[in-house]
Structures are given as C-alpha cells and as structure tokens.
Amino acid sequence: MADHDPDYVATLATELCRRHTALLATAENELAILRTRIALTVAFIHDPAHDRDARTALAKRLALPEPRKEGGTAK
C-alpha cells in the first residue's frame, strides 16, 4: 500500500512543509509552548516549597517521575 511506503510518506511530508510553511511554524510554536509548560510542571513537582501530596498526585496523574525525597522531612 502506497501510504505505508517510507519514501511516499517522506515525499508527502516534504510537500506539506513546502506548501504550508505557516502550518509548520504554528506547530513548532505550539511545541515550544508545550515544552515550556512541561518544564514548569516538572519544576513545580520537584519544588519542596509546595505540598508533597499535591506534587506527588500531579506527577502520578501526568505519568511523570514523582518528587524526590526531601532530606529528613519526607512523609
């Protein structure tokens, strides 16, 4: 089937990028925003200034690593 041929898929991707540069730029911008949000979320999860239970629950919900144990104050 042609739609599973890697060369065909690559040709379509190249043509899409060539014809729709604004779409590609928008996708790249959205990806940058998502990366920033993930980084901020991970920073929050590992910030001991916030409630550990809330951070742990958020990490589990987002399938991210749980907060590290704080020295001597972990529950």
Side-chain angles (χ1 to χ4, degrees):
M1 211 174 198
D3 61 346
H4 291 97
D5 177 23
D7 292 331
Y8 177 72
V9 172
T11 300
L12 285 180
T14 301
E15 191 64 20
L16 179 65
C17 291
R18 188 180 69 75
R19 290 186 183 183
H20 301 287
T21 55
L23 178 63
L24 180 60
T26 299
E28 288 174 348
N29 288 340
E30 291 293 323
L31 183 57
I33 290 168
L34 288 173
R35 285 181 175 145
T36 299
R37 288 180 179 166
I38 290 170
L40 290 170
T41 302
V42 169
F44 174 84
I45 288 171
H46 294 291
D47 185 350
H50 302 288
D51 178 65
R52 180 167 174 71
D53 292 337
R55 296 182 294 127
T56 300
L58 178 61
K60 285 181 181 178
R61 179 77 178 192
L62 297 175
L64 293 170
E66 291 186 23
R68 297 180 281 280
K69 303 275 188 218
E70 290 90 31
T73 61
K75 293 182 181 178

